[in-house]
Amino acid sequence: MFIWCDFCSPIFGINNLEDVIVPNKRALITGATGLLGRAVFKEFKDNNWHVVGCGYSRARPRFERVDLLDAAAVKALVQDFKPHVIVHCAAERRPDIVENQPETATMLNVGASANLAKEAAEIGAFLLYISSDYVFDGRNPPYREDAAPNPLNHYGKTKLEGERAVLRNNEGAAVLRVPVLYGEVEKVEESAVTIMFDKVQFSNKSANMDHLQQRFPTYVKDVAVVCHQLTEKKLQDPSIKGIYHWSGNEQMTKYEIACAMADAFNLPSSHLRPITDEPVGATPRPQNPQLSCARLEQLGIGQRTPFRVGIRESLWPFLVDKRWRQTVFH
């Protein structure tokens, strides 16, 4: 089933609307220029949804440039497009930045989320708020969806406050907590996982890597699939709401992640040095915030790409040594 939609014209540069039909299911993705947002946008689009993405500092011609702190602009976008789902990926996600700019981060992670929840409720849209494993202190894993949160840093606190604001303002909304993410980055610095790649491939210099804190690197394509599957389930079953978890299932320290990257690209790893000392002066992070994903698994929802497969797909464009590229891919 298809409908005509004038809204797509200014966004997608379509001038001849007589030749255009678009799918009747509409999704609005915030933070669509970011690592996760790009993957979620593509997943919904590939599954025959009419998708509008919005961004701010990195907005491109195909995305709407919207300041999520501008309540009037957000209302206009939601009322005009009337999405069936809003996947709220936009956030200040860098813990060190949040510690240094707490007021700005709180406005985006909490205030803007509360406002989106209200706007979604007003038009009957499903709001899916992307949260973080940093709502937990990492001392007693694995964490079920109903486990008591205890964030150690301001980033975790703002994400937890954002969860509560969303669920308070929209009783049909859902929260999806995810761990550290990686995927097809625009630059290696875009992800806390991929940023390690330069240290891996430039083996002429030894590199110290944390071998204490446990992480569960998760592929954004898998999270995007979960967002789409959960939304489709919600359209059939209104009882889909509340808190859900999704995570990769390969437990690794940063040192082990770096070694896995080296292995994926057949690169040497002897220059990588495991460090088990507690980091001094750094923003506190949970020791092991492993998420139990039972609620989604019981619904038959989920996808997990092996880390070595996902990291090859993500980082091969940044591989410097062409000989290794030929070894791995040909």
Side-chain angles (χ1 to χ4, degrees), residues 198-229:
D198 283 348
K199 288 184 177 179
V200 171
Q201 63 176 333
F202 298 126
S203 57
N204 58 332
K205 184 179 179 182
S206 64
N208 294 341
M209 310 296 295
D210 176 74
H211 193 42
L212 184 64
Q213 294 176 340
Q214 304 298 314
R215 295 290 175 260
F216 294 80
T218 299
Y219 199 21
V220 291
K221 286 185 179 180
D222 295 342
V223 178
V225 166
V226 168
C227 290
H228 173 248
Q229 290 176 337

Side-chain angles (χ1 to χ4, degrees), residues 139-158:
R139 298 185 182 115
N140 191 29
Y143 291 94
R144 290 164 36 114
E145 294 83 356
D146 59 358
N150 183 33
L152 297 179
N153 57 40
H154 195 69
Y155 167 70
K157 291 174 184 174
T158 64

